Amino acid sequence: MLHVRSIWNGAISFGLVSIPIKLVNATESHSISFRQIHTEDGGRIRYRKVCELEEKEVTQAEIGKGYEDADGTIIPISDEDLSHLPIPTAKTIEIVAFVPADRIDPLQMDAAYYLAASGAPAAKPYTLLREALKRSHKVAIAKYALRGRERLGMLRVVGDAIAMHGLLWPDEVRSPEGVAPDVGVTVRDKELDLADALMDTLGEVDLQDLHDEYREALEEVIAAKAAGEMPPELPAPPSGGKVLDLMAALENSVRAARESRGEEAADKRSLTRAAPKETGGKKSTSTAKKTTASKTTAKATTKKTATKKTAANKTATKKTAAKKTATRKRTA
């Protein structure tokens, strides 16, 4: 980072405190770029800068800036003209406010830069601003001029450095009106539950583990072509028809996510271990029911038998009493 070329030199205006700084890019692109070629012979296609008046090619050193007026007149604008713009942000990052970080809409985020202290005298005020930002848990909103226009920025602490994110002006962010579906849709609780389960299964990720697979695949293709070999083929897409049922799609997504994390096998093993207990429990319940039924039947049978015996005893008693009465009458 120490050898990165600065793209802008100026100062941070923090009230009456001025902090000399250098602006360096905080990001870099690793994307693979292509050249335009003539497909018939592989020759490079180049764009040449030609003056329309003289009809001849000019060098970069001969090219300046100009504003085209409504009538087509070109008004030359030099770098010196731009450096003398009557605004305080021409060479200054002017802090205008401090706000909580969540007040900044991510849609406004633009390019990111690091602000490097320029020289030893800048170390103390630079550190003061950094520590003040840390303790306040806020970000600084600033205005600055870069590449021919005034811009909005957000200063925040990254490690031991101060970073600045370029921000779009609020009127540069389009309204989302007309983007959301304009038809009535009802989302069921079961669908939300499955969506929550999918989110929990996917979980979090360390961004450091993510990488550009497209660039890696492109490098393989370039290497194969350079070696005169056939480039690797695109893997076959997974078989199966399109899932139209949202519930089925969510269930399949949860299952696939669990399998990718090795959770599905663990769930199956748990179910397998639990299965005998569950089956045994069902058998015990069934046996208990049968035993209870048998006991109930036995009790009912015993009651019926006892009732019959009682009835028979009563009948026998009545008969005996009747015989005794008849005997007494005959005797008399």
Side-chain angles (χ1 to χ4, degrees):
M1 179 58 67
L2 295 176
H3 302 290
V4 177
R5 184 175 65 88
S6 62
I7 61 174
W8 186 90
N9 294 327
I12 299 175
S13 175
F14 178 31
L16 297 178
V17 178
S18 181
I19 311 172
I21 56 96
K22 296 178 180 179
L23 193 69
V24 298
N25 285 316
T27 61
E28 58 186 5
S29 175
H30 293 161
S31 61
I32 298 173
S33 58
F34 294 99
R35 302 292 187 185
Q36 291 186 326
I37 62 171
H38 188 196
T39 55
E40 291 187 3
D41 54 20
R44 282 280 306 276
I45 302 297
R46 299 178 183 272
Y47 291 97
R48 303 182 186 277
K49 299 178 179 180
V50 178
C51 174
E52 291 182 352
L53 296 179
E54 297 180 340
E55 295 186 352
K56 72 173 186 179
E57 186 177 352
V58 296
T59 64
Q60 185 63 37
E62 300 175 275
I63 299 175
K65 298 181 180 69
Y67 175 79
E68 185 175 1
D69 207 350
D71 60 359
T73 303
I74 301 295
I75 304 172
I77 301 294
S78 67
D79 290 339
E80 186 178 357
D81 294 331
L82 296 175
S83 65
H84 291 85
L85 289 175
I87 56 174
T89 56
K91 278 293 182 180
T92 305
I93 297 174
E94 182 184 10
I95 295 177
V96 297
F98 293 88
V99 300
D102 58 8
R103 287 270 302 277
I104 305 301
D105 190 340
L107 286 173
Q108 289 185 255
M109 294 289 189
D110 202 358
Y113 309 94
Y114 286 126
L115 305 180
S118 182
K124 182 64 180 283
Y126 184 98
T127 304
L128 171 65
L129 176 58
R130 182 191 67 198
E131 295 305 312
L133 288 171
K134 279 185 180 179
R135 192 166 72 172
S136 68
H137 301 290
K138 293 182 177 180
V139 296
I141 302 301
K143 295 169 70 176
Y144 64 103
L146 181 65
R147 299 190 179 104
R149 54 171 294 201
E150 188 174 51
R151 301 166 187 263
L152 196 61
M154 178 190 75
L155 277 63
R156 69 184 184 96
V157 177
V158 177
D160 291 330
I162 298 175
M164 182 173 72
H165 295 268
L167 298 178
L168 299 175
W169 296 99
D171 61 358
E172 292 180 313
V173 179
R174 292 178 176 176
S175 168
E177 184 179 356
V179 177
D182 57 356
V183 295
V185 177
T186 301
V187 178
R188 294 177 295 172
D189 289 340
K190 288 185 178 180
E191 294 169 337
L192 281 173
D193 292 341
L194 279 172
D196 290 341
L198 178 57
M199 292 168 64
D200 292 339
T201 303
L202 292 176
E204 298 182 0
V205 65
D206 186 352
L207 296 181
Q208 298 295 330
D209 295 335
L210 302 179
H211 58 281
D212 188 348
E213 296 182 13
Y214 180 88
R215 178 171 59 88
E216 293 177 355
L218 188 55
E219 288 174 347
E220 291 181 9
V221 171
I222 294 173
K225 296 278 285 185
E229 302 173 354
M230 290 295 294
E233 295 183 359
L234 181 70
S239 58
K242 184 178 180 181
V243 179
L244 299 178
D245 182 12
L246 181 58
M247 289 289 289
L250 288 169
E251 289 173 351
N252 291 338
S253 299
V254 172
R255 188 179 301 110
R258 286 177 175 172
E259 288 177 352
S260 67
R261 292 174 177 266
E263 296 177 10
E264 187 72 16
D267 291 345
K268 287 181 178 178
R269 286 196 297 270
S270 299
L271 289 173
T272 303
R273 287 195 296 268
K277 295 181 180 179
E278 186 178 350
T279 304
K282 288 182 179 178
K283 284 184 178 180
S284 300
T285 304
S286 178
T287 304
K289 288 181 179 179
K290 289 180 180 179
T291 304
T292 304
S294 300
K295 289 180 178 178
T296 304
T297 304
K299 287 180 180 179
T301 304
T302 304
K303 286 183 179 179
K304 288 180 181 179
T305 305
T307 303
K308 287 180 179 179
K309 287 182 178 179
T310 304
N313 291 335
K314 287 181 179 180
T315 304
T317 303
K318 288 179 180 179
K319 288 181 178 180
T320 304
K323 286 181 180 179
K324 289 181 178 180
T325 302
T327 306
R328 286 174 185 170
K329 286 182 178 181
R330 285 196 297 270
T331 306

